[in-house]
C-alpha cells in the first residue's frame, strides 16, 4: 500500500514548471526544520537536515526524484547497461557519465570531471572522517578523458552504483584534505546548486539566495530562509500564525488540525523513513540475543502507533517498504507482542527477578538507558510507555532525551561513540536495498553507520553477494535471506514507517515532497511565490 501511494504521487501534486516562468519575488520563502545540522557537508554529517539542506547548495551526478526514480542532475543521462553507460570490464565494471555543458560553481569556476574525482579522493582519504566509504571503496579509479566525461572504474561488479556521488564537491575549495573536516566550507559551501548560502545564525536560521548561474536557470524565489525550530508544537504554532511557507514533518497528531486549517495544501506522503529501536551490542546486557528478543516481544506496534504516534503510521518489520521488490513478508510478526514469552527468554538468559522487581544476574541489575531525540514528542511518549510496560517484565528503563545533533553528530555523537544501551531513532531506506553501510562488520563507527556494533559473518557474505549481483531474481533471494537473518539476530527492532506530513502556505507553489534521503528541497529551483 505504501509503495502504491508513493508511485501514485502525493495528494495535491502539481505539474512541474520551470521556475523562471514566474516573476521573481523578493520576499523569502520560510521553511521550518526540526533539526539544525552540525555541518553542510553531506559526506561529513549523517544528519537528515544536512542532506536535505545540501540539496540547495550542491548538485549530484544523478538524484532520486519525488517518485524514488533516478533522474539526471549534473549528468545528461542516467547510465544503465541498456544505454551503454554501464559495461562489464574483466572482473570489474565501468560506468560513464557525460556532464552537462556550462555548469559552474557559485564562484564562477567551471565544474569538471576533476571535481568528481576530487570528491572521491576526499571520501577515501583516511584522514577525513567520512560518515561512510561504502561503495566508494569499490572504485579502482576515476578517469577524466575530457572535462565533461567521468569514467568510474569499479574493481568488481557494484549493483548500487547510482547511489554514489549524490553531491559533487569543488576541487579548488577542498584544499588540504588532512584539514578538510575543519575547513570553513563545511558550514559555508561553495556549490553548484540553485542557491548560495547568505548567512547561518546558529540556533536560529539559515538564509540562502538564488544562484543566477544555476544550470537549470535562476530560481524564481530570490531568497530562502530555513528556520530551526526544535519543538514540534512551537513549529505548529508558527505555521498557524502564518510565519512559515513550509511546515515539514508535522507530527501525526497534528494531521486533522492541518486538514481543517491549512491555507495552502497538506501533503501526506509515504516515506522510506522507518522508526526503530537500536541495540548497542557492545553493551553486555543487550549483547545476548535472548534479551533483544525479549524486548522485541514487549513491543506492541499497533498500541505504540495509537498511543504515541497519532495512529496514522504503519507497522514496520523490515528496513524495506512493503511493495519494494526486496521486501520479504515472511519476517512480519516474527516477534509478536507476548510479555509471557519475554519473561521466559529473560529467565533463560539468567536474569531473575530481584527484591525490587528489577531482574538481576549476579550483582548486575537489568537497568538500561534509552537515548532518543528531544525534537519529537512522540518518541518521549513511546519511551514512557515502554518504561511502564518493561518494568512489569523486570527491566528498569531510563530515558535520555538529547538534541538531534548530540544523538547523531559525528564524530562525537552518542550513536557514533556508542554511548547508549538502546536508541529510539529513525533511518531512511534508499532506492537500492544495499545497506552495507548499516550492517557490515567493518562499518562500525567511525568507519560507517553500523551503530548497533553488529557483526555477522553470514550477513557480511550476503551483503557482498548482493553488491555483486545484477540479475534481479537472484538479487531478490539474497535480500530475502538478509532480512530473515536480521530478524533473527535483531540488531534493531523495526517499529513504524513514517509518513511525511507537510503543509504549505497559500503563496508557495511548486512544492513536491520527496520521501527519499534527498529531502523536500530537491526541487526548490522550481518553487515560486504567489502574491
Amino acid at each position: 500500500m505504501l509503495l502504491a501511494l508513493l508511485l501514485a504521487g502525493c495528494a495535491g501534486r502539481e505539474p512541474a514548471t520551470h521556475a523562471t516562468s514566474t516573476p521573481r519575488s523578493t520576499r523569502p520563502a520560510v521553511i521550518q526544520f526540526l533539526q539544525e545540522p552540525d555541518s553542510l557537508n553531506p559526506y561529513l554529517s549523517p544528519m537528515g537536515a544536512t542532506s536535505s539542506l545540501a540539496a540547495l547548495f550542491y548538485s549530484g551526478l544523478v538524484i532520486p526524484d519525488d517518485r524514488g526514480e533516478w533522474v539526471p542532475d549534473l549528468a545528461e543521462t542516467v547510465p544503465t547497461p541498456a544505454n551503454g553507460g554501464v559495461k562489464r570490464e574483466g572482473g570489474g565494471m565501468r560506468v560513464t557519465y557525460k556532464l552537462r555543458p556550462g555548469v559552474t560553481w557559485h564562484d564562477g569556476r567551471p565544474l569538471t570531471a576533476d571535481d568528481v574525482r576530487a570528491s572521491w579522493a576526499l571520501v577515501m582519504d583516511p584522514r577525513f572522517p567520512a560518515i561512510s566509504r561504502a561503495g566508494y571503496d569499490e572504485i579502482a579509479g576515476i578517469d577524466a578523458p575530457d572535462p565533461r566525461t567521468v569514467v568510474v572504474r569499479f574493481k568488481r561488479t557494484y549493483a548500487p552504483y547510482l547511489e554514489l556521488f549524490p553531491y559533487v564537491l569543488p576541487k579548488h575549495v577542498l584544499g588540504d584534505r588532512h584539514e578538510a573536516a575543519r575547513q570553513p566550507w563545511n558550514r559555508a559551501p561553495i556549490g553548484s546548486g540553485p542557491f548560495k548560502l547568505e548567512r547561518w545564525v546558529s540556533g536560529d536560521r539559515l538564509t540562502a539566495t538564488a544562484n543566477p548561474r544555476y544550470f537549470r536557470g535562476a530560481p524564481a524565489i530570490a531568497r530562502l530562509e530555513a528556520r530551526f525550530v526544535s519543538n514540534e508544537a512551537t513549529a505548529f504554532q508558527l505555521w498557524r500564525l502564518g510565519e512559515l511557507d513550509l511546515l515539514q514533518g508535522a507530527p501525526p497528531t497534528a494531521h486533522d488540525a492541518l486538514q481543517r486549517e491549512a491555507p495552502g495544501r497538506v501533503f501526506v506522503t509515504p516515506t522510506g523513513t522507518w522508526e526503530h529501536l537500536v541495540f548497542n551490542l557492545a553493551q553486555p546486557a543487550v549483547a545476548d540475543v535472548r534479551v533483544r528478543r525479549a524486548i522485541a516481544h514487549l513491543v506492541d506496534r499497533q498500541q505504540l502507533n495509537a498511543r504515541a504516534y497519532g495512529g496514522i503510521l504503519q507497522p514496520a518489520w523490515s528496513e524495506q517498504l512493503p511493495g519494494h521488490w526486496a521486501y520479504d513478508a515472511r519476517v512480519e510478526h516474527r516477534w509478536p507482542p507476548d510479555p509471557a514469552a519475554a519473561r521466559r527468554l529473560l529467565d533463560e538468559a539468567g536474569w531473575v527477578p530481584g527484591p525490587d522487581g528489577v531482574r538481576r544476574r549476579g550483582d548486575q541489575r537489568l537497568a538500561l538507558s534509552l537515548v532518543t531525540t528531544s525534537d519529537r514528542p512522540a518518541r518521549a511518549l513511546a519511551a514512557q510507555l515502554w518504561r511502564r510496560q518493561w518494568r512489569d517484565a523486570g527491566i528498569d528503563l531510563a530515558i535520555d532525551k538529547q538534541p538531534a545533533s548530540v544523538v547523531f553528530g559525528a564524530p562525537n555523537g552518542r550513536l557514533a561513540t556508542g554511548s547508549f544501551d538502546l536508541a529510539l531513532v529513525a533511518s531512511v531506506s534508499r532506492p537500492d536495498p544495499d545497506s552495507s553501510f548499516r550492517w557490515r562488520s567493518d562499518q562500525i563507527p567511525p568507519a560507517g553507520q553500523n551503530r548497533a556494533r553488529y557483526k555477522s559473518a553470514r550477513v557480511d557474505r550476503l551483503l557482498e553477494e548482493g553488491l555483486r549481483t545484477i540479475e534481479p531474481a537472484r538479487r531478490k533471494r539474497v535480500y530475502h535471506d538478509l532480512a530473515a537473518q536480521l530478524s533473527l539476530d535483531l540488531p534493531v527492532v523495526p517499529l513504524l514507517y513514517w509518513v511525511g506530513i507537510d503543509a504549505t502556505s497559500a503563496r508557495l507553489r511548486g512544492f513536491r515532497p520527496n520521501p527519499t534521503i534527498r529531502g523536500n528541497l530537491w526541487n526548490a529551483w522550481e518553487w515560486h511565490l504567489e502574491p
Side-chain angles (χ1 to χ4, degrees):
M1 181 188 71
L2 287 170
L3 187 64
L5 287 171
L6 178 59
L7 293 176
C10 54
R13 181 183 175 88
E14 302 172 358
T17 56
H18 195 283
T20 55
S21 63
T22 56
R24 288 168 59 87
S25 170
T26 57
R27 296 178 61 193
V30 183
I31 309 160
Q32 158 269 342
F33 276 82
L34 281 174
Q35 296 179 353
E36 179 176 6
D38 56 350
S39 168
L40 290 175
N41 182 346
Y43 295 108
L44 183 63
S45 170
M47 295 184 69
T50 297
S51 58
S52 183
L53 282 165
L56 292 178
F57 307 116
Y58 291 112
S59 308
L61 293 178
V62 298
I63 61 172
D65 68 6
D66 54 330
R67 295 176 182 270
E69 298 174 358
W70 293 105
V71 295
D73 197 23
L74 289 172
E76 290 185 325
T77 59
V78 178
T80 66
N83 64 21
V86 179
K87 295 182 179 180
R88 293 187 183 273
E89 199 172 55
M93 186 174 80
R94 183 179 67 195
V95 181
T96 302
Y97 298 88
K98 194 70 174 180
L99 301 180
R100 296 175 187 262
V103 179
T104 63
W105 296 104
H106 291 160
D107 58 9
R109 298 274 291 269
L111 186 150
T112 72
D114 281 339
D115 295 303
V116 180
R117 189 156 49 187
S119 300
W120 171 61
L122 175 68
V123 172
M124 289 304 299
D125 193 315
R127 299 168 298 181
F128 179 72
I131 55 174
S132 176
R133 295 184 174 86
Y136 299 97
D137 56 2
E138 300 284 345
I139 297 173
I142 298 179
D143 299 329
D146 62 66
R148 289 182 51 212
T149 304
V150 179
V151 181
V152 183
R153 293 181 289 105
F154 288 90
K155 303 169 189 174
R156 295 168 290 179
T157 301
Y158 184 70
Y161 63 93
L162 290 175
E163 293 198 335
L164 303 181
F165 303 105
Y167 307 94
V168 175
L169 306 179
K171 177 182 179 181
H172 67 282
V173 171
L174 297 184
D176 182 1
R177 294 199 299 267
H178 180 62
E179 298 293 330
R182 293 184 287 274
Q183 291 301 314
W185 61 264
N186 290 295
R187 290 181 61 89
I190 302 296
S192 58
F195 288 86
K196 299 162 58 173
L197 182 71
E198 179 180 76
R199 186 174 61 156
W200 182 354
V201 180
S202 294
D204 184 20
R205 67 193 68 194
L206 177 153
T207 54
T209 58
N211 173 17
R213 297 189 180 94
Y214 185 51
F215 56 83
R216 287 189 174 97
I221 294 178
R223 293 178 72 244
L224 285 178
E225 180 179 285
R227 192 173 297 182
F228 306 122
V229 186
S230 60
N231 182 279
E232 285 181 335
T234 302
F236 187 52
Q237 289 306 314
L238 287 173
W239 180 82
R240 272 180 157 165
L241 293 170
E243 294 190 27
L244 302 175
D245 289 299
L246 175 59
L247 174 68
Q248 295 194 98
T253 50
H255 174 260
D256 292 344
L258 284 171
Q259 293 285 9
R260 289 192 307 268
E261 302 175 27
R265 297 187 176 189
V266 178
F267 299 80
V268 180
T269 315
T271 77
T273 301
W274 52 294
E275 194 87 344
H276 54 282
L277 187 64
V278 183
F279 296 103
N280 181 359
L281 273 59
Q283 299 291 358
V286 294
D288 189 328
V289 71
R290 293 170 295 187
V291 174
R292 302 198 297 276
R293 291 173 178 175
I295 290 174
H297 274 310
L298 295 174
V299 172
D300 185 331
R301 290 166 177 80
Q302 297 288 0
Q303 182 190 69
L304 185 69
N305 184 27
R307 295 179 63 176
Y309 289 87
I312 68 171
L313 307 188
Q314 295 294 321
W317 305 93
S318 164
E319 62 183 319
Q320 304 299 337
L321 282 168
H324 190 284
W325 62 264
Y327 183 76
D328 186 358
R330 292 174 297 177
V331 303
E332 296 177 3
H333 306 288
R334 172 155 279 167
W335 310 105
D338 190 340
R343 286 191 286 270
R344 286 195 299 272
L345 282 164
L346 293 173
D347 288 340
E348 291 174 13
W351 293 97
V352 298
D356 59 353
V358 177
R359 290 178 178 265
R360 294 175 178 270
R361 189 170 61 186
D363 58 357
Q364 183 183 5
R365 297 173 77 248
L366 190 50
L368 303 175
S369 175
L370 181 144
V371 66
T372 191
T373 62
S374 56
D375 56 0
R376 291 194 179 274
R379 289 176 178 156
L381 291 174
Q384 291 162 9
L385 176 67
W386 288 339
R387 181 163 58 186
R388 293 191 297 270
Q389 293 176 340
W390 296 8
R391 181 62 185 246
D392 292 340
I395 300 172
D396 184 13
L397 184 67
I399 302 170
D400 183 9
K401 294 186 294 181
Q402 297 289 341
S405 58
V406 174
V407 177
F408 292 105
N412 299 316
R414 302 292 289 276
L415 297 179
T417 58
S419 304
F420 68 100
D421 296 323
L422 307 95
L424 176 57
V425 293
S427 294
V428 181
S429 293
R430 299 175 177 179
D432 191 278
D434 173 61
S435 49
S436 300
F437 67 96
R438 184 177 293 128
W439 306 124
R440 215 164 66 188
S441 300
D442 62 356
Q443 292 297 300
I444 292 172
Q449 296 183 53
N450 183 350
R451 296 157 175 164
R453 278 72 182 165
Y454 173 61
K455 296 180 181 179
S456 164
R458 182 167 191 264
V459 165
D460 287 348
R461 288 194 299 271
L462 288 169
L463 289 168
E464 179 70 12
E465 186 177 355
L467 290 176
R468 313 302 164 205
T469 304
I470 298 292
E471 193 273 316
R474 182 182 163 200
R475 199 164 188 238
K476 181 177 181 177
R477 290 194 297 272
V478 170
Y479 287 106
H480 281 193
D481 289 346
L482 174 65
Q485 190 64 52
L486 291 171
S487 71
L488 286 173
D489 293 346
L490 284 177
V492 306
V493 177
L495 300 170
L496 299 164
Y497 297 110
W498 277 93
V499 294
I501 304 176
D502 307 300
T504 62
S505 67
R507 68 189 189 124
L508 181 62
R509 294 289 185 268
F511 173 71
R512 291 157 56 193
N514 190 321
T516 76
I517 198 169
R518 192 73 182 182
N520 285 340
L521 308 188
W522 76 285
N523 75 324
W525 62 275
E526 291 185 305
W527 298 359
H528 61 275
L529 297 175
E530 298 288 344

